[in-house]
Amino acid sequence: MPKHKPASGHACRPGSHRSAARKRAEAVLPGVALILAACAFPAAARGVSPYLPLQESPEIERMIERVLILADQPVLARPIAAATVLDALPKACERDAALCERVRHYLAGFQKNYGVGYMSLSAGAAASDETGAPETSEGAVPLPNRHGMGADSGYEVAGRVFWQPSDHVLLNAGVVAYKGDATPTGTLVSFGVEKAQVDIGWRDHWLSPMSDSAMLIGTQARTMPGVTLSNYKPLTRLGLRYELFISEMSESSNILFQGALTTGNPRLAGLHLSIEPFPGWSIAVNRILQYGGGERPDGFSDLFDAFFNPSGYDNANPGETEFGNQAASVTSTFLVPARVPFAVYFEYAGEDTSRGTNYRLGNSALSAGIRFPSLANRFDLTVELSDWQNGWYVHHIYLDGLVNEGNVIGHWGADWRVRGDGVGASSAMARVGWQLKGGAFVEATYRTLHNAAYTAPDYERAHSLDLLYSRSWKRDFHVGGELEAGRDPLDRSYSRLSLFLRF
């Protein structure tokens, strides 16, 4: 992780170092040279930054969110770079010195040349009842935003170790494992500078300001391997941030091409662009494109055409060859600098274009949220609502849908339905955290989901409740327990009680 000092403190060697980085980037992500040219490697710049845990360590993640709000730093995409939080600390410390001290101590672990980034170990007992569930439902209830983990898993292991031989090179080895699966989430080779960092490996993507759901892509499914180019240092006076990635999805034998099925691994390309016109207000646009797989075309020129003319290439008239499947969103976050500061954020998304135009979104989805990071100096409160029309995460070319390893890559609520049913739905989430004296933390999260009633399955309203208790131990560790219980729309009940140790 780059040290926290002015950019002039790190000189980026010219010549062979710069050209080598560009050649490696161009080899894995066509067109990267254009981006690198636009934000050319400066003569003096900080290096790469590791990413903080995403949906793995609630105690730490809540503190990070609070620091960023106090520092007037809107969040529109995740995971968050550790350097971003480090830069936000001076301003946040003016409002909450105790919080800053805890976060600064946590970030100190990332400023070493090697070490453990984070580690979470949990074990316990799980129970489920699928009585009355339709025959078309498969497996245990998938827990929200847990990388595909089912409610029947009795254990979960997540962690990452790192080695940073230089400011501009970072090696990570990570894993997320639970009953029936292990994925090298967080295993990355990163190189570059603060304005152009390349990540190769299993990197998560969360293209939404919402903290409990993401319509385009989040952590509901297992992490996909791929290549990402992004910046953690904003560009220009508008505070431009970007993220481009291409990932490989799991194999599917239900891909339609020229009237027949073909088997292969579809690709997923993504783009995030955000600006901050005024301090505390950010707006972003996001796109994902599912394409290729088997015999379907996957060339860069085809991807380029479909990106800039989605209505013509991705929503072609019957009988024409379509490129693939796309979704887009516009998001925004407002940080209100009141006596008790809070964040208000929105997401407007479309699974398709509408009326033959490139700028209208069809099959729309709307999400909104509000977060109070500090109430009475001990509580935090988050409320989020989402509503989406039919057609999300299903497709007439990719018959398995917008899924990876059997799980929807976007909103967790779309996994709580009969597989392949593109039904619309609405969801709500309320989360309350309580910081107790002595370093203890209690959090309660309630979720509910209602699927529309115009398809064949007889859906019920779903409810879930998560209770978390965590306590700091020897300063670097958190120990505690978690109770998760609920009933999904398919009338499947579940409960899971676990104990954990986190570093």
Side-chain angles (χ1 to χ4, degrees):
M1 175 178 168
K3 306 300 185 294
H4 184 58
K5 56 184 177 180
S8 58
H10 288 276
C12 187
R13 293 193 300 272
S16 61
H17 174 81
R18 181 171 66 177
S19 60
R22 289 189 177 185
K23 288 180 181 179
R24 284 177 288 180
E26 291 174 23
V28 296
L29 189 59
V32 159
L34 297 176
I35 302 297
L36 294 180
C39 49
F41 283 23
R46 289 191 293 173
V48 297
S49 172
Y51 299 103
L52 298 178
L54 180 57
Q55 301 292 343
E56 294 293 348
S57 301
E59 309 86 359
I60 298 300
E61 294 177 50
R62 302 298 173 260
M63 289 194 296
I64 298 301
E65 292 169 359
R66 184 176 178 183
V67 163
L68 294 176
I69 291 178
L70 293 178
D72 295 329
Q73 291 289 324
V75 175
L76 291 175
R78 297 173 175 87
I80 298 169
T84 298
V85 182
L86 193 64
D87 290 343
L89 281 177
K91 188 171 184 178
C93 286
E94 298 174 2
R95 298 184 176 184
D96 194 330
L99 170 68
C100 285
E101 174 60 26
R102 294 196 299 270
V103 173
R104 195 184 299 277
H105 176 77
Y106 176 74
L107 293 179
F110 290 95
Q111 295 180 280
K112 303 175 182 178
N113 292 331
Y114 60 88
V116 179
Y118 68 90
M119 188 66 65
S120 176
L121 310 172
S122 73
S128 62
D129 176 16
E130 299 188 16
T131 303
E135 294 181 0
T136 49
S137 63
E138 300 181 27
V141 178
L143 295 175
N145 307 315
R146 300 287 283 275
H147 293 93
M149 186 173 79
D152 63 341
S153 180
Y155 71 92
E156 182 183 17
V157 177
R160 185 188 309 162
V161 297
F162 67 92
W163 175 45
Q164 189 162 5
S166 75
D167 286 341
H168 303 285
V169 178
L170 175 63
L171 308 178
N172 292 276
V175 67
V176 171
Y178 47 79
K179 177 183 176 181
D181 185 73
T183 303
T185 299
T187 300
L188 296 171
V189 175
S190 302
F191 57 90
V193 292
E194 58 190 359
K195 296 181 180 179
Q197 177 169 327
V198 177
D199 303 309
I200 304 175
W202 285 260
R203 179 194 189 277
D204 281 325
H205 301 278
W206 184 290
L207 302 184
S208 175
M210 312 294 289
S211 65
D212 192 61
S213 64
M215 289 305 299
L216 269 58
I217 183 171
T219 60
Q220 182 62 19
R222 299 170 209 177
T223 309
M224 294 173 275
V227 180
T228 304
L229 175 67
S230 64
N231 67 320
Y232 65 83
K233 178 71 172 180
L235 304 174
T236 76
R237 294 181 179 180
L238 287 176
L240 174 66
R241 296 178 187 268
Y242 69 90
E243 180 180 323
L244 302 99
F245 66 88
I246 294 180
S247 301
E248 184 180 77
M249 307 184 76
S250 58
E251 184 179 89
S252 171
S253 58
N254 292 312
I255 304 172
L256 193 62
F257 181 63
Q258 295 183 348
L261 294 178
T262 182
T263 299
N265 295 79
R267 295 183 180 180
L268 185 75
L271 168 69
H272 165 83
L273 292 174
S274 69
I275 59 174
E276 188 175 354
F278 304 102
W281 173 49
S282 285
I283 186 170
V285 293
N286 306 281
R287 289 276 297 281
I288 58 170
L289 300 91
Q290 182 184 23
Y291 68 102
E295 299 179 21
R296 295 197 62 82
D298 58 6
F300 180 71
S301 61
D302 297 313
L303 175 63
F304 186 88
D305 291 336
F307 180 86
F308 286 102
N309 187 13
S311 183
Y313 284 86
D314 238 8
N315 300 305
N317 296 324
E320 297 183 10
T321 301
E322 297 185 40
F323 175 70
N325 181 22
Q326 298 195 42
S329 68
V330 178
T331 62
S332 186
T333 296
F334 302 85
L335 299 182
V336 182
R339 187 177 64 86
V340 178
F342 63 95
V344 180
Y345 40 94
F346 305 91
E347 177 181 21
Y348 177 66
E351 193 278 333
D352 221 328
T353 57
S354 176
R355 300 181 183 179
T357 64
N358 290 328
Y359 58 88
R360 288 192 177 99
L361 297 179
N363 297 331
S364 62
L366 180 62
S367 301
I370 185 169
R371 173 162 174 76
F372 294 91
S374 180
L375 295 174
N377 295 321
R378 289 198 176 276
F379 300 92
D380 65 81
L381 172 66
T382 303
V383 178
E384 298 181 355
L385 307 172
S386 295
D387 183 89
W388 61 95
Q389 296 178 331
N390 64 304
W392 275 90
Y393 312 116
V394 295
H395 200 254
H396 58 281
I397 292 176
Y398 297 95
L399 304 183
D400 288 335
L402 197 57
V403 303
N404 186 60
E405 299 289 356
N407 293 102
V408 167
I409 68 172
H411 197 295
W412 59 266
D415 255 353
W416 285 25
R417 64 185 184 184
V418 172
R419 185 168 296 182
D421 184 14
V423 65
S426 59
S427 69
M429 184 278 295
R431 183 175 60 228
V432 178
W434 184 13
Q435 189 70 50
L436 303 174
K437 293 182 179 180
F441 175 71
V442 176
E443 183 176 85
T445 304
Y446 170 74
R447 299 180 178 93
T448 183
L449 174 77
H450 177 65
N451 288 326
Y454 49 74
T455 57
D458 185 16
Y459 293 114
E460 303 288 338
R461 174 173 284 278
H463 303 273
S464 75
L465 179 64
D466 297 351
L467 299 176
L468 172 79
Y469 174 83
S470 175
R471 188 177 187 87
S472 60
W473 177 54
K474 294 186 177 180
R475 196 176 187 187
D476 290 326
F477 296 89
H478 288 88
V479 295
E482 185 173 12
L483 172 64
E484 304 164 272
R487 181 175 293 273
D488 78 349
L490 302 177
D491 202 32
R492 299 180 296 183
S493 64
Y494 68 92
S495 60
R496 184 174 183 271
L497 179 62
S498 60
L499 301 178
F500 61 79
L501 170 66
R502 294 183 180 131
F503 172 81

